[in-house]
Amino acid sequence: MTAIETLPLARKLGAYMALSQAERTLISDLHQSCKPVAAGRRLVDQGQSNHLAYILSAGWACSYKILPNGARQIVDFHIPGDFLGLRHVLLHTSDHTIESITDSEVADVPVKELLEILSRNPRLVTAVLWAASRDEAMVVEHLVNIGRRSAVGRMAHFLLELGSRLKLVGLGDKQGYVCPLTQYHLADALGLTAVHVNRVLRQLRENGLLTFRHGVVTFDDYHALSTMADFDPTYLDQAGTTSIVTMRNRCPAQ
Amino acid sequence: MTAIETLPLARKLGAYMALSQAERTLISDLHQSCKPVAAGRRLVDQGQSNHLAYILSAGWACSYKILPNGARQIVDFHIPGDFLGLRHVLLHTSDHTIESITDSEVADVPVKELLEILSRNPRLVTAVLWAASRDEAMVVEHLVNIGRRSAVGRMAHFLLELGSRLKLVGLGDKQGYVCPLTQYHLADALGLTAVHVNRVLRQLRENGLLTFRHGVVTFDDYHALSTMADFDPTYLDQAGTTSIVTMRNRCPAQ
């Protein structure tokens, strides 16, 4: 297995369409500036203009908005293989902040370079737009989650979604996944208080559906949990996902 | 004033970048199949695949998801100049339903034709991606609205956003706008009950901020309303909006 094949972005886009060796090389080229980023570093600031886009190749990050009253709404979490701030490069200012949650590895992607690489391969344009469309479908689902699901339903739906996304890049399966999120992250993503998050997680555990403990989410009964949460992963559009293998999710060797 | 210049899509993209006559002609070409659509018609069905994208050139529509328990979450309302279902053409199935609210005019846009027209003008690609990015920024803002704002704050923010969007296509100003939405639309968009919507609208009226009556939203005190709702329209990225003139928002003459 070569380094290129271990890139989460290649794995993710590969779920959308079979990638040629040339396309894999282009994806690898996008990672040339890959560098470590410490936990808690802001990559994009709300209100900032003219910033770069990024590819997250290892670690977790989140996008959020801070309201004038100090309340925080987390819009999405980002996992290896995700673009960060891709859409902001078109708007004149970023509409939210992106911050690393864990120690991570991130590649800068100057827009000009991205467009140049994509112009060499129109098929890859479609794959990148697919990834962007999927990101938007997730935000829509988060809106539905907060607007119309019970606290326990939205928690279950959210952790199932993360599980499916992680599965796509080889970092989880139907048993569960390693998850660095705190109760505060979950509260700010789901429109709950931290106390409420604890209560909801206890309820899921006591009902034999899911356990989130010591940084690991375990699906105790995946089927029953999916049914309870009305989780239909169609919007993630990853039906063709290949089987899970353990992969190194690192930058390619420099 | 030519028919092309009255197209809401041309007006909207023109807020992002100055359009050449050739670009205006390309935008007009996208409207060739423009036809009337009655109120309440579903243009895209949740779960449907291989559908078209559309341009709404007159009237209002909405995107929504229906949950298995029957609850409806409206994701966004669409006004003249909006693309409908643009992102769905990349995902294998639509993740929500799009339905006309009023009698409308809609142009079918086969993806192949859209890509062909865009390939003739890369600058227009950027403008279309800008419109798509702006749509996503609005969904993010709706998430923040439901997750972190009070019922009265989210109603005010939402009606102010609609006002800014309508202003961009010449259908509203800081005095207000014609609005065909019912209390049920507002309830399903804001995660409230219809009774709650009535109470919130009464409160806004009694506080001298906003009146929504007989299909017209009137900003009684735009500045105070914006302050109360923490409305910062930066995410709409339309700072360069030209002054408002009354425009016919019709399909070009066939």
Side-chain angles (χ1 to χ4, degrees):
Chain A
M1 187 179 290
T2 70
I4 292 174
E5 277 158 355
T6 68
L7 286 173
L9 179 60
R11 192 179 163 97
K12 179 172 158 179
L13 299 184
Y16 176 64
M17 61 179 201
L19 297 170
S20 68
Q21 194 53 46
E23 285 158 349
R24 289 182 176 275
T25 305
L26 288 178
I27 291 170
S28 177
D29 288 351
L30 286 174
H31 290 73
Q32 269 165 2
S33 73
C34 201
K35 61 176 188 294
V37 163
R41 201 191 118 195
R42 282 201 300 277
L43 295 163
V44 175
D45 268 318
Q46 196 170 321
Q48 180 187 340
S49 50
N50 296 328
H51 47 265
L52 300 161
Y54 302 90
I55 297 167
L56 184 64
S57 61
W60 288 55
C62 67
S63 303
Y64 59 85
K65 278 191 100 141
I66 298 282
L67 273 68
N69 67 6
R72 177 169 82 154
Q73 175 67 47
I74 290 180
V75 174
D76 203 3
F77 295 105
H78 306 289
I79 60 170
D82 284 355
F83 282 103
L84 307 179
L86 189 57
R87 123 177 106 77
H88 301 159
V89 298
L90 289 163
L91 299 180
H92 292 104
T93 56
S94 168
D95 65 329
H96 55 246
T97 300
I98 302 180
E99 186 175 303
S100 55
I101 292 176
T102 64
D103 289 345
S104 302
E105 287 178 8
V106 163
D108 295 356
V109 186
V111 195
K112 208 179 144 190
E113 189 189 325
L114 179 65
L115 293 177
E116 199 181 290
I117 287 185
L118 292 180
S119 71
R120 281 188 262 152
N121 190 317
R123 255 169 53 88
L124 219 47
V125 177
T126 317
V128 170
L129 288 176
W130 167 80
S133 299
R134 187 171 169 270
D135 287 349
E136 196 192 339
M138 283 190 275
V139 176
V140 166
E141 198 62 35
H142 298 166
L143 177 69
V144 173
N145 223 9
I146 292 190
R148 290 296 182 213
R149 289 198 182 95
S150 67
V152 68
R154 71 178 84 155
M155 176 69 79
H157 197 280
F158 186 78
L159 293 176
L160 282 162
E161 177 189 281
L162 271 178
S164 288
R165 292 171 63 189
L166 288 160
K167 182 167 173 280
L168 188 65
V169 290
L171 296 173
D173 57 28
K174 287 201 172 175
Q175 270 65 58
Y177 52 90
V178 172
C179 178
L181 303 181
T182 66
Q183 60 192 2
Y184 299 101
H185 288 123
L186 292 172
D188 287 351
L190 298 174
L192 304 171
T193 64
V195 172
H196 204 171
V197 163
N198 275 335
R199 199 180 311 141
V200 165
L201 288 175
R202 190 171 64 235
Q203 187 179 334
L204 287 168
R205 190 173 65 240
E206 290 176 356
N207 290 342
L209 296 170
L210 174 146
T211 307
F212 184 9
R213 198 181 270 165
H214 306 310
V216 176
V217 170
T218 305
F219 296 127
D220 299 318
D221 187 336
Y222 189 90
H223 181 71
L225 186 71
S226 298
T227 304
M228 185 277 282
D230 292 326
F231 180 63
D232 173 0
T234 309
Y235 68 98
L236 294 172
D237 199 33
Q238 58 186 52
T241 309
T242 48
S243 65
I244 301 308
V245 290
T246 308
M247 303 183 89
R248 290 185 307 115
N249 61 324
R250 297 278 122 191
C251 295
Q254 299 292 306
Chain B
M1 186 179 290
T2 70
I4 291 174
E5 278 158 355
T6 69
L7 285 174
L9 179 59
R11 193 180 163 97
K12 178 172 157 180
L13 299 184
Y16 177 63
M17 61 178 201
L19 298 171
S20 68
Q21 193 53 47
E23 284 159 349
R24 290 181 177 276
T25 304
L26 288 178
I27 290 171
S28 177
D29 288 350
L30 286 173
H31 289 74
Q32 270 166 1
S33 72
C34 201
K35 60 176 189 293
V37 163
R41 203 191 116 196
R42 283 202 298 279
L43 295 163
V44 175
D45 267 318
Q46 195 169 323
Q48 180 187 341
S49 49
N50 297 328
H51 47 264
L52 300 160
Y54 301 90
I55 297 167
L56 185 63
S57 60
W60 288 55
C62 67
S63 303
Y64 60 85
K65 278 191 99 141
I66 298 282
L67 272 69
N69 67 5
R72 177 170 81 154
Q73 176 66 46
I74 291 181
V75 174
D76 202 2
F77 295 104
H78 306 289
I79 61 169
D82 284 356
F83 282 103
L84 307 179
L86 191 56
R87 123 176 105 78
H88 300 158
V89 298
L90 289 163
L91 299 178
H92 292 105
T93 56
S94 168
D95 64 329
H96 56 247
T97 300
I98 302 179
E99 187 176 302
S100 55
I101 291 176
T102 64
D103 289 346
S104 302
E105 287 178 8
V106 162
D108 295 356
V109 186
V111 195
K112 208 179 144 191
E113 190 189 325
L114 177 66
L115 293 176
E116 198 181 289
I117 288 185
L118 292 180
S119 71
R120 281 188 262 154
N121 189 316
R123 255 168 53 88
L124 219 48
V125 177
T126 317
V128 170
L129 289 176
W130 168 80
S133 300
R134 188 171 168 269
D135 287 349
E136 196 192 339
M138 283 190 274
V139 176
V140 166
E141 198 62 35
H142 299 166
L143 177 68
V144 173
N145 223 10
I146 293 189
R148 289 297 182 215
R149 289 197 182 97
S150 67
V152 68
R154 70 177 85 155
M155 176 70 78
H157 197 280
F158 186 78
L159 294 176
L160 282 162
E161 177 189 281
L162 271 178
S164 288
R165 293 172 61 190
L166 288 160
K167 183 168 172 279
L168 188 65
V169 290
L171 296 172
D173 56 29
K174 287 202 172 176
Q175 270 64 59
Y177 51 90
V178 172
C179 179
L181 304 181
T182 67
Q183 61 193 2
Y184 299 102
H185 288 123
L186 292 173
D188 287 352
L190 298 174
L192 303 172
T193 65
V195 172
H196 204 171
V197 163
N198 276 335
R199 200 180 309 140
V200 165
L201 287 174
R202 191 171 62 236
Q203 188 180 335
L204 287 168
R205 190 172 64 240
E206 290 175 356
N207 290 342
L209 296 171
L210 175 147
T211 307
F212 184 9
R213 198 181 271 166
H214 307 312
V216 176
V217 170
T218 306
F219 296 127
D220 300 318
D221 187 337
Y222 189 89
H223 182 71
L225 186 70
S226 298
T227 304
M228 185 277 281
D230 292 326
F231 181 63
D232 173 0
T234 310
Y235 68 98
L236 294 172
D237 199 32
Q238 58 187 52
T241 310
T242 49
S243 65
I244 301 308
V245 290
T246 308
M247 301 184 91
R248 290 185 309 115
N249 63 322
R250 297 278 122 190
C251 295
Q254 300 292 306

